[in-house]
Amino acid sequence: MELKSSSFGDNEFIPVEYVDTHCAGENISPELRWSGAPKGTKSFALVMHDPDAPHEHGWYHWIVIDIPPSVAGIGRGAKFSPPARELANNSGARGYSGPCPPINGGVHHYHFMVFALQAETVSFDEEMLPHEIAKLIRDLAIDGAKLTGLYEVVER
C-alpha cells in the first residue's frame, strides 16, 4: 500500500495550519489518500502517532476505525460519518489533534498510518487505551502504509 498527502511529503515538515491550536496552528487534519489495498480489505483504519512524545507508548493524536473499503482518502479538514468512527486519542478528545511537541524538545516524527483490515468493524473494550486499540488494529491489518510528517517547537 501507499499513503500520500498534498499537504506535505514523507519526512517533510508539517505546515502550521495542521498543528494544534496550542502551538499556533489551526488544528485542521491534512488531506490523505491511499492506494494499493489488497484483495479482501473489509475496512480501513487511520492512526496518527508521535513515537517521540515523552510518554511510555508515545502519543496517539488520531484514531479512526471502520472506514469503508470503498474510501481511498480523505480531504483536508475531514469529517467522518458512520460507519467510520473517530475514537478518543491520548488527550481524551475524539477527532484530529494536531502536532504540538514540547518546546525545545527536538523534531518529532508524526506517523500517519492507514491499515487495510480483514474486518468490517473493529470491536474493542471501551476501557482500552489508545495504544491498546492501535495494537488491535495492527493485529487485524492485512496491509498498511505510513507517511511521516515532522514538527518542532523552538522557543525564540
Side-chain angles (χ1 to χ4, degrees):
M1 286 184 68
E2 188 173 49
L3 178 61
K4 292 185 174 187
S5 178
S6 61
S7 305
F8 59 91
D10 194 35
N11 289 306
E12 290 182 358
F13 278 85
I14 297 170
V16 72
E17 66 192 286
Y18 306 108
V19 173
D20 191 276
T21 54
H22 293 97
C23 283
E26 296 176 37
N27 204 45
I28 297 170
S29 61
E31 176 270 342
L32 298 169
R33 62 191 179 285
W34 52 87
S35 60
K39 208 174 219 182
T41 298
K42 295 185 179 172
S43 71
F44 292 104
L46 183 61
V47 176
M48 178 186 171
H49 179 244
D50 173 5
D52 303 315
H55 299 276
E56 182 179 359
H57 301 283
W59 196 264
Y60 287 88
H61 287 259
W62 199 19
I63 300 175
V64 186
I65 60 171
D66 302 344
I67 301 169
S70 59
V71 174
I74 58 169
R76 180 180 174 274
K79 303 290 182 214
F80 291 92
S81 56
R85 298 182 286 161
E86 292 180 290
L87 306 182
N89 58 30
N90 276 118
S91 298
R94 292 180 185 272
Y96 179 79
S97 180
C100 191
I103 295 170
N104 297 323
V107 174
H108 280 229
H109 299 76
Y110 294 87
H111 299 304
F112 291 81
M113 299 169 283
V114 64
F115 296 94
L117 305 182
Q118 59 188 340
E120 284 182 32
T121 301
V122 176
S123 299
F124 62 96
D125 182 328
E126 292 292 332
E127 301 299 314
M128 290 177 81
L129 298 172
H131 75 273
E132 295 169 322
I133 294 171
K135 182 187 180 315
L136 178 61
I137 289 168
R138 285 191 302 274
D139 290 347
L140 291 170
I142 51 179
D143 203 356
K146 177 173 71 173
L147 172 68
T148 301
L150 311 174
Y151 199 76
E152 177 179 25
V153 177
V154 179
E155 188 172 38
R156 295 174 197 238

